[in-house]
């Protein structure tokens, strides 16, 4: 796990927009990629982190204890007010069987349902 001081040296996070930018003396740019589950993932020092967990760590100065839940169920909405640290059982109850995923080949988001 990356240390808090190391995170601050490498990334800026805007809690109002949920956006991360890499700290670079020449240019500031957005970072990360969208994984197969539709979450933004950021690589730091050879390790991948979900942006929602990094946002929590950035704001709280400690890693979340449980899972990070996106309150509005939008996996790319990493605004701090949209994140909460809750146990897996509570997070699963929040799922209504609907979701969004990113199709890399088609370069678009697609809705899906897991209801039977």
């Amino acid at each position: 796990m990356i240390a808090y001081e190391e995170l601050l040296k490498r990334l800026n996070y805007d809690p109002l927009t949920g956006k991360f930018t890499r700290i670079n003396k020449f240019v500031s740019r957005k970072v990360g990629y969208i994984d197969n589950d539709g979450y933004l993932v950021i690589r730091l020092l050879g390790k991948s982190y979900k942006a929602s967990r990094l946002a929590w760590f950035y704001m709280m100065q400690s890693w979340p204890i449980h899972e990070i839940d996106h309150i509005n169920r939008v996996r790319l909405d990493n605004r701090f007010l949209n994140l909460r640290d809750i146990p897996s059982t509570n997070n699963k109850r929040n799922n209504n069987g609907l979701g969004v995923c990113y199709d890399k080949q088609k370069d678009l988001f697609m809705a899906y349902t897991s209801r039977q």
Side-chain angles (χ1 to χ4, degrees):
M1 298 287 215
I2 191 168
Y4 185 71
E5 296 75 22
E6 197 65 37
L7 174 65
L8 296 180
K9 286 182 199 174
R10 296 176 181 278
L11 293 178
N12 281 322
Y13 169 70
D14 182 344
L16 299 178
T17 65
K19 304 297 181 202
F20 281 93
T21 51
R22 195 169 300 278
I23 296 173
N24 181 317
K25 43 184 149 175
F26 303 111
V27 69
S28 180
R29 64 182 192 268
K30 291 182 184 176
V31 297
Y33 63 92
I34 300 170
D35 71 5
N36 292 335
D37 295 321
Y39 291 99
L40 179 65
V41 175
I42 298 172
R43 285 194 58 84
L44 292 169
L45 301 173
K47 184 164 172 40
S48 296
Y49 300 91
K50 284 187 179 176
S52 55
R53 294 185 67 79
L54 283 176
W56 188 271
F57 184 44
Y58 194 100
M59 296 298 292
M60 302 302 290
Q61 300 182 28
S62 65
W63 288 102
I65 297 168
H66 304 289
E67 291 182 358
I68 294 297
D69 176 45
H70 292 82
I71 297 168
N72 67 3
R73 299 183 186 149
V74 177
R75 293 175 177 179
L76 294 175
D77 184 353
N78 292 307
R79 293 173 298 141
F80 190 67
L81 62 80
N82 187 48
L83 306 176
R84 61 184 173 179
D85 182 11
I86 63 172
S88 175
T89 52
N90 293 35
N91 197 8
K92 285 180 179 35
R93 267 187 249 138
N94 192 25
N95 184 352
N96 64 0
L98 302 175
V100 175
C101 64
Y102 181 71
D103 186 324
K104 289 181 185 178
Q105 292 177 333
K106 295 179 183 176
D107 192 30
L108 57 84
F109 290 91
M110 298 175 16
Y112 67 86
T113 179
S114 61
R115 293 183 182 168
Q116 300 291 334

